[in-house]
Amino acid sequence: QKEVEQNSGPLSVPEGAIASLNCTYSDRGSQSFFWYRQYSGKSPELIMFIYSNGDKEDGRFTAQLNKASQYVSLLIRDSQPSDSATYLCAVNADAGNNRKLIWGLGTSLAVNP
Amino acid sequence: NAGVTQTPKFQVLKTGQSMTLQCAQDMNHNSMYWYRQDPGMGLRLIYYSASEGTTDKGEVPNGYNVSRLNKREFSLRLESAAPSQTSVYFCASSEVGQDTEAFFGQGTRLTVV
């Protein structure tokens, strides 16, 4: 059973700080990694995806991938109260004849003013 | 651009009643999905449709049926609702393949009493 694990939190950071969210996965063949944000009562929305080892930056968000250690992380710089949400990690994994997304349970982030 | 549209947003059913959740996307995506999301369980795939005319079971298909009516529309039917089907249901679509980024509808909050 392919797995994606995240610390459920809540992760609490002060406004302006860096929030670091982590995700580990079990399928060494995984090639695509996604971070979604989900506000309470809303649907998940894609923040970033990353395919290659290293860092990928988009505004205040940086995704980091380390395939050797099988983890992917999301850094949020200059955290704002509007960043308070649950962050879902999704990883593609082998499903026999095809590949599918495996979802983590999410990390709850609270940014305190 | 509406993206992925689900109806209804809220529904209360009595045990044994049936209903159909509707989903339509205007992004010309080939693949569409139905997920359910429960506290502590994360997103679980019910059914998916890789392309028009095809449907396949996901992790938790029991008690559900689907129809891929055309490229735009993918419906989920509960034939005889049970309290265990109380959940938030999300429809999603992606260009191709289960392992690519998905775009979600706003969700349907279903309560079965």
Side-chain angles (χ1 to χ4, degrees):
Chain A
Q1 178 73 10
K2 305 297 191 296
E3 293 182 348
V4 173
E5 296 191 355
Q6 299 179 251
N7 188 325
S8 62
L11 174 65
S12 182
V13 300
E15 184 174 357
I18 296 176
S20 178
L21 305 162
N22 299 312
C23 171
T24 60
Y25 60 94
S26 62
D27 181 10
R28 284 196 169 275
S30 297
Q31 300 167 347
S32 307
F33 307 85
F34 305 89
W35 282 101
Y36 287 79
R37 177 177 62 200
Q38 186 175 25
Y39 292 114
S40 181
K42 302 295 185 181
S43 58
E45 54 179 341
L46 181 69
I47 300 176
M48 292 189 70
F49 59 87
I50 186 168
Y51 299 143
S52 303
N53 270 332
D55 296 358
K56 179 181 179 182
E57 188 173 317
D58 183 0
R60 296 187 295 112
F61 298 95
T62 299
Q64 299 176 317
L65 175 61
N66 184 323
K67 289 186 178 180
S69 300
Q70 294 178 244
Y71 82 77
V72 56
S73 61
L74 180 69
L75 301 179
I76 306 174
R77 290 181 300 281
D78 188 25
S79 295
Q80 301 297 308
S82 59
D83 295 324
S84 299
T86 296
Y87 290 80
L88 304 174
C89 173
V91 176
N92 81 334
D94 184 11
N97 294 327
N98 52 31
R99 301 192 70 82
K100 64 178 182 179
L101 281 182
I102 304 295
W103 294 84
L105 297 184
T107 297
S108 175
L109 172 66
V111 181
N112 305 307
Chain B
N1 191 345
V4 180
T5 303
Q6 284 181 241
T7 55
K9 291 185 179 179
F10 301 94
Q11 184 72 49
V12 179
L13 289 179
K14 293 182 179 180
T15 297
Q17 286 185 319
S18 63
M19 77 163 296
T20 299
L21 281 65
Q22 306 288 352
C23 175
Q25 52 93 7
D26 62 3
M27 296 176 283
N28 202 35
H29 285 166
N30 286 300
S31 301
M32 298 185 73
Y33 316 88
W34 277 105
Y35 288 93
R36 61 179 289 175
Q37 188 175 38
D38 303 287
M41 302 293 287
L43 279 166
R44 292 183 292 171
L45 185 64
I46 305 171
Y47 271 95
Y48 68 95
S49 171
S51 61
E52 184 179 356
T54 68
T55 60
D56 286 288
K57 295 178 180 179
E59 301 172 63
V60 287
N62 291 343
Y64 306 95
N65 285 299
V66 291
S67 295
R68 183 75 182 268
L69 304 171
N70 48 53
K71 191 171 185 178
R72 291 186 64 248
E73 299 173 288
F74 188 38
S75 63
L76 177 72
R77 182 162 179 83
L78 287 69
E79 291 291 351
S80 178
S84 61
Q85 294 178 304
T86 294
S87 186
V88 179
Y89 292 85
F90 290 105
C91 177
S93 70
S94 64
E95 283 196 10
V96 62
Q98 289 187 72
D99 62 337
T100 56
E101 55 267 38
F103 297 83
F104 285 80
Q106 69 268 47
T108 297
R109 187 172 296 274
L110 174 67
T111 302
V112 182
V113 297

